[in-house]
């Protein structure tokens, strides 16, 4: 990749900009309580994060990555999770150290900045606002903003279109295979950061599979890859 040509950086949210596992675990456990189920640990819920809230509901109810769930129970569980979310009964997350500074320094270099998350749009706004970074982004794409969420290429392509850059001029930064697969499908380069969760799959495996540029341990390293 010719990093000198990068004009936009697209960031994933959960596990990349903000540590949100505490709040998501709280919501999952409030939902499970409504069904008389015992709480799950943050470690378990962390593995279930990545494909958006609807998949999180199914995984948390079945305690499995891909087991099916009876449709009637699924509908009730979705209702329960969204009710607790609307009531704001969750911790809004902790911004990773250096996140704001990295974004500000990229902006100073003239780069456009976007969030491309699988979190529902409204929930994402609350989380970004609480972290004090909402106004730093030129474009904000939620899990319900494009025709389909990550790992489809649609949200990454939509971000590029809204930013007015070609996919070859953008780089995605994320913590899971959903980010790298979405970037790859859209023709966008990708960096993987190891602060988050990757559905229990080692990042090295994901990076190899999707041809990611590199695995970085903190967001501060992003600048090294931009000319
Ligand atoms: O809500 C999720 O499951 C993941 O959200 P993310 O795309 O910001 O990682």
């Amino acid at each position: 990749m010719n990093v000198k040509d990068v004009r936009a950086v697209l960031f994933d949210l959960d596990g990349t900009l903000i540590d949100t596992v505490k709040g998501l675990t709280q919501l999952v456990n409030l939902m499970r309580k409504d069904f008389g189920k015992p709480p799950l640990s943050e470690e378990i819920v962390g593995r279930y994060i990545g494909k958006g809230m609807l998949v999180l509901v199914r995984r948390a109810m079945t305690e499995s990555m891909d087991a099916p769930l009876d449709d009637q129970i699924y509908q009730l569980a979705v209702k329960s999770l969204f009710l607790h979310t609307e009531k704001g009964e969750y911790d809004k997350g902790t911004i990773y150290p250096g996140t704001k500074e990295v974004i500000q320094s990229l902006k100073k270099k003239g780069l456009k900045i976007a969030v491309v998350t699988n979190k529902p749009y409204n929930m994402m706004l609350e989380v970004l606002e609480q972290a004090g970074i909402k106004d730093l982004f030129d474009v904000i794409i939620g899990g319900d903003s494009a025709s389909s969420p990550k790992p489809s290429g649609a949200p990454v392509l939509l971000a590029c279109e809204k930013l007015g850059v070609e996919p070859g001029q953008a780089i995605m930064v994320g913590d899971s295979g959903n980010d790298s697969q979405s970037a790859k499908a859209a023709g966008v380069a990708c960096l993987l950061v190891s602060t988050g969760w990757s559905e229990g799959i080692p990042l090295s495996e994901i990076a190899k599979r999707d041809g990611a540029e590199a695995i970085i341990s903190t967001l501060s390293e992003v600048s090294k890859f931009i000319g």
Side-chain angles (χ1 to χ4, degrees):
M1 178 198 168
N2 183 354
V3 287
K4 287 198 173 63
D5 288 344
V6 171
R7 290 185 49 211
V9 184
L10 321 179
F11 289 98
D12 164 61
L13 194 160
D14 297 79
T16 299
L17 298 174
I18 301 173
D19 181 351
T20 50
V21 73
K22 186 175 173 188
L24 289 170
T25 305
Q26 287 167 337
L27 286 174
V28 155
N29 286 334
L30 284 166
M31 170 190 77
R32 282 176 58 88
K33 199 171 168 212
D34 289 342
F35 289 82
K37 290 178 184 283
L40 298 176
S41 67
E42 287 185 8
E43 196 191 336
I44 302 255
V45 175
R47 281 172 66 102
Y48 297 162
I49 298 173
K51 288 194 164 63
M53 297 292 267
L54 298 178
V55 174
L56 179 63
V57 165
R58 183 173 48 70
R59 287 177 173 172
M61 287 297 285
T62 59
E63 291 174 57
S64 139
M65 294 305 279
D66 46 25
L69 177 64
D70 172 84
D71 194 52
Q72 216 175 346
I73 296 177
Y74 170 72
Q75 300 297 344
L76 290 171
V78 168
K79 234 183 222 173
S80 156
L81 190 93
F82 280 98
L83 194 70
H84 292 297
T85 306
E86 271 163 35
K87 286 194 198 162
E89 296 172 326
Y90 64 101
D91 180 276
K92 304 291 183 310
T94 307
I95 188 165
Y96 290 113
T99 295
K100 202 169 180 174
E101 293 74 13
V102 169
I103 297 171
Q104 280 166 335
S105 92
L106 293 171
K107 283 174 81 81
K108 262 195 205 139
K109 287 185 184 178
L111 289 146
K112 302 239 187 242
I113 309 291
V115 172
V116 182
T117 176
N118 275 350
K119 239 182 175 39
Y121 189 83
N122 288 336
M123 189 180 185
M124 167 189 53
L125 287 188
E126 279 192 30
V127 169
L128 290 179
E129 192 139 29
Q130 169 89 7
I133 55 173
K134 186 173 115 274
D135 296 335
L136 294 180
F137 299 96
D138 299 295
V139 161
I140 292 180
I141 305 289
D144 40 6
S145 302
S147 54
S148 49
K150 299 177 288 184
S152 139
V156 168
L157 279 176
L158 182 62
C160 291
E161 194 186 309
K162 287 193 171 213
L163 289 170
V165 301
E166 294 298 324
Q169 296 172 315
I171 187 161
M172 172 87 202
V173 184
D175 68 326
S176 85
N178 298 303
D179 304 309
S180 51
Q181 252 183 285
S182 179
K184 190 180 178 186
V188 165
C190 182
L191 291 173
L192 288 164
V193 63
S194 56
T195 43
W197 317 282
S198 49
E199 298 176 305
I201 311 169
L203 276 191
S204 53
E205 212 176 283
I206 294 170
K208 203 168 157 197
R209 181 193 72 194
D210 297 334
E213 300 301 313
I215 298 172
I216 55 177
S217 47
T218 67
L219 275 195
S220 320
E221 292 170 58
V222 168
S223 317
K224 286 200 278 184
F225 294 85
I226 314 254

